[in-house]
Each structure stands twice: as structure tokens, then as C-alpha cells.
Amino acid sequence: MATETALRVTCPKADLSAALGVVARAVSTRGAVQVLGGILLQAENDKLTLAATDMEISLRASVSGELSGDASVVVPGRLLTDLVRLLPADTVTLAYEEGEGVLAVTSGSHSSRLNVYSAEDFPRLPPIDVSLHRIETPALLATIDKVGRAASRDESRPVLTGILVRFEGEQLVMAATDSYRLAVKETPLSAGGPELEAIIPARALQELVRIASGTEEIELGVHENHVIFSAGDVWLTSRRIDGQFPNYNQLLPESFEIEIDTPRAALLAVVRRAGLMAQRNAPLRLRFAEGELTVSAQTQDVGEATESIPVEFEGEELEIGFNPDFLREGLEAVSGDTVRLKLINRLRPGLIAAPEESFWYLIMPIRLAG
């Protein structure tokens, strides 16, 4: 019979495996602090709650089953996740007696014992019983998808690894930049959002996309320096990034010399093909001439490519170079059939705009030789 210092749960293997698969994404892989490589198991509200954190984000999920005891324990995260996925029977029993230092796992003819960590050493997670605001999932996830690709991966400038999230009445604004490109998206909300302006790690919002896909609503709240998201039965918390996000309105030029509307799919296909020949930091060259845009790329010892498409362009020829991946990702972020290209000269930033989507993608040029 279970005592107060015990924990025992029997539940469907599929449910436990799915919950572990979600939570394990927050398990730390650095190994410096052993307990951060674990998943916390504890009884809460007649369910088994699973939690993991790497001190930047945390993920929590719960599983229903036959539950007794109220002990908590931390189990090696990757090991438990892999083991449960491979168990032979449709149900699994987890049992822990405080003081024994092991978690017993049984399923059908299989039994194993996993060494565990003390729950007392597991970091205290932000509370989730805070005031929450509901936001339609499609609007939030579409905004993250368009903007997130422009966030930096350079940890030496933490502010740029985040996405600025601002609720302005019935409008959500997100912006991201890695200093070579800038993406901004405005999204109308059917109901007013929470009072919030925060720089949220891009990784946290990308995890939110994974856990919230298929849901209709996401709940969002704030606790001190953490932002809290709820999607279905999963909770995601993320620390806010301290610092001053660049003023993106000042980065957008007030006017452009050239504005061209062109079919997005055709231009994207050309950029993808020519981009294969732009390797080892070679630029993608865009040459605008009367009625025509020519896209070309060349890399020594690799090859070269040139392709033209018709565009409505008049005036003096302009040739400008861009990072091929940055240009491709900007075009991919637009949903509509038509994209607007705005240019000033070969040394000033270019803009990919989708006014109907309230989306702007600014990209710095690469100085061309010759």
C-alpha cells in the first residue's frame, strides 16, 4: 500500500509517451547540472504531472491514470522518454518509494529500475495560476512563423535572439532582427490582448508553435520576469529577455525609389534555383532592367546560374546583391500570390512587403564587386 512518501501511477503507455515527448524538449542537454537533465514527476489534482526546464523555458504536461501517493521525484529525461516509447504493453506502471533512489518501471513482461534525483534539487518553476488572456491560435502562430526566422542565433547579443511581442489594444505586433534583416508583422485580434510588451526567446515561441498546433486558443499570462502559455493540457513558461529591442520604426526607410509588384511563386522559384550556386557567402545578384529582372549567382569551383523573369520596371538599371538564404526566407514568409519589392539603391536596404498581410521584411544588401 502506498505511503505519503511514495508515488505510484498506472496509465496508458501512449498517453505517457506523448506527454514525455512534449516535456523532454525542455530537458537541458548541457549536462553541467545533472538534475536539469531530468523530468520531474509529481501528483497534482489526481493526475501525474511531468515537468522539465533548462532554466530558459519549462514545459509541463499531465497524464490521467490510477494514481496514489504524493511523493515527487526527478527521473533522467531522455532515458525515461526512450524507455516508455519501447515498452511492450499498452499500459505502464511507475512506482517510487522515497529513500530507495530508484523508479520502478513495469509494462507487460518488462521491468526496469532507473536511478533518480531528488525533487528538492529541481528548480522552482513559475506558478501557472495567474491571470490568463485567450488568443486565437492561428493568428498567434502565423505571426510567429513569419517573424521568427529573422531572429538571431548569436548568443553574444541576447536581445536579438528574442522576438519583440507587443499587444496594442486589438492588435498584436511582433518584430525580430539579427541586424542583417528585420521582420515585422501586425496581426488584428478579435478581442483585446493582455497588457504586455516583452522580448521572448525565439526558441520559446518556436516550441509554442509545436505544442499549440491543432488547438483553437492559447492562453497567455505574465508572472514577474516570465511569460506563461497554455495550449490544451500543456504549459510552457519562458523567461523574458532583459534589454532594449531596436526601434524598428527607425530602421524602416521612409521612402523608396523603386516599387515593383511581382508574382511571389515565380520569383521564389528563381531565387531557390539560383541560390544553389551561391555558396561560401557568395551573393545572389538581382539586376533590374527595362521589363525584366535577372537573378544570378556564381561561386568559384562550384558553378553559376542565370535566370530572368518579366517585371514592370522602368528607368535606369539597378543591380543589387543579397544573402540568398535571407532573400529566400523573406519570400517564403509571404502568404499571398503577389509580393512587393521596394528598393532605393545598391547600397541601401531592400524591403519585401506584403501590405495586405501587414508584413514587412527588411534586408541589408551585400556590396557587389565590379
Side-chain angles (χ1 to χ4, degrees):
M1 182 172 170
T3 66
E4 288 186 0
T5 55
L7 177 66
R8 182 183 179 87
V9 61
T10 300
C11 61
K13 184 190 88 166
D15 294 352
L16 181 59
S17 183
L20 285 167
V22 169
V23 171
R25 297 188 62 84
V27 167
S28 175
T29 56
R30 293 178 181 170
V33 182
Q34 273 195 323
V35 76
L36 294 182
I39 291 175
L40 175 68
L41 307 180
Q42 59 185 350
E44 276 188 349
N45 301 323
D46 297 326
K47 289 186 176 183
L48 177 70
T49 298
L50 303 84
T53 182
D54 60 6
M55 303 304 289
E56 180 180 82
I57 70 167
S58 75
L59 284 165
R60 280 172 264 196
S62 57
V63 177
S64 297
E66 297 177 19
L67 190 68
S68 62
D70 61 358
S72 301
V73 63
V74 179
V75 187
R78 302 291 178 194
L79 179 58
L80 182 61
T81 302
D82 292 343
L83 174 62
V84 170
R85 188 174 65 248
L86 298 172
L87 290 175
D90 291 338
T91 60
V92 55
T93 297
L94 307 178
Y96 167 69
E97 291 279 350
E98 199 166 84
E100 289 189 359
V102 294
L103 178 79
V105 181
T106 55
S107 177
S109 60
H110 173 88
S111 66
S112 53
R113 289 159 64 84
L114 282 59
N115 291 340
V116 299
Y117 311 119
S118 169
E120 292 179 3
D121 297 330
F122 195 79
R124 194 172 181 180
L125 300 180
I128 54 179
D129 56 344
V130 298
S131 175
L132 296 171
H133 297 266
R134 295 186 178 186
I135 303 163
E136 294 172 358
T137 299
L140 187 62
L141 299 197
T143 308
I144 295 169
D145 179 62
K146 288 181 182 294
V147 171
R149 62 194 77 202
S152 175
R153 293 167 181 81
D154 183 0
E155 296 291 340
S156 67
R157 299 184 67 187
V159 165
L160 300 190
T161 65
I163 296 175
L164 178 68
V165 178
R166 180 190 296 143
F167 288 89
E168 299 176 346
E170 295 187 352
Q171 178 173 263
L172 166 65
V173 180
M174 285 193 193
T177 180
D178 58 7
S179 75
Y180 301 104
R181 53 187 169 158
L182 164 72
V184 181
K185 171 80 171 82
E186 298 172 351
T187 304
L189 301 173
S190 58
E195 290 292 322
L196 176 67
E197 178 171 331
I199 305 170
I200 302 175
R203 175 182 160 232
L205 294 176
Q206 287 155 4
E207 289 296 339
L208 181 64
V209 171
R210 288 189 180 93
I211 66 174
S213 296
T215 65
E216 293 184 3
E217 288 184 331
I218 293 169
E219 293 186 303
L220 167 61
V222 178
H223 176 75
E224 295 176 354
N225 64 334
H226 283 84
V227 182
I228 299 155
F229 299 96
S230 168
D233 293 329
V234 180
W235 293 84
L236 165 68
T237 62
S238 170
R239 65 173 179 83
R240 297 160 74 153
I241 298 176
D242 293 328
Q244 186 70 38
F245 195 84
N247 186 335
Y248 57 84
N249 287 319
Q250 291 181 350
L251 299 175
L252 292 169
E254 290 184 5
S255 61
F256 293 85
E257 299 294 320
I258 300 165
E259 294 193 20
I260 301 169
D261 287 340
T262 186
R264 183 189 75 96
L267 178 57
L268 177 57
V270 170
V271 166
R272 284 173 173 163
R273 286 191 288 268
L276 295 174
M277 296 299 176
Q279 299 183 24
R280 300 199 289 270
N281 297 321
L284 203 63
R285 290 173 176 258
L286 277 65
R287 184 170 63 82
F288 294 87
E290 194 79 31
E292 184 180 66
L293 165 61
T294 301
V295 180
S296 63
Q298 180 178 15
T299 303
Q300 191 123 14
D301 304 327
V302 175
E304 60 183 58
T306 302
E307 190 168 349
S308 298
I309 57 173
V311 294
E312 294 183 9
F313 178 84
E314 298 176 353
E316 191 175 337
E317 284 192 11
L318 169 67
E319 187 173 41
I320 188 168
F322 292 116
N323 176 301
D325 293 330
F326 291 174
L327 182 61
R328 172 182 53 78
E329 290 182 351
L331 293 170
E332 287 173 346
V334 175
S335 305
D337 295 334
T338 302
V339 66
R340 182 170 298 168
L341 303 179
K342 297 185 175 188
L343 302 167
I344 301 173
N345 58 47
R346 61 186 296 169
L347 301 178
R348 297 288 304 279
L351 187 72
I352 295 172
E356 310 81 24
E357 301 169 35
S358 299
F359 174 68
W360 299 271
Y361 185 95
L362 192 73
I363 178 171
M364 297 295 292
I366 295 175
R367 190 181 292 267
L368 297 174

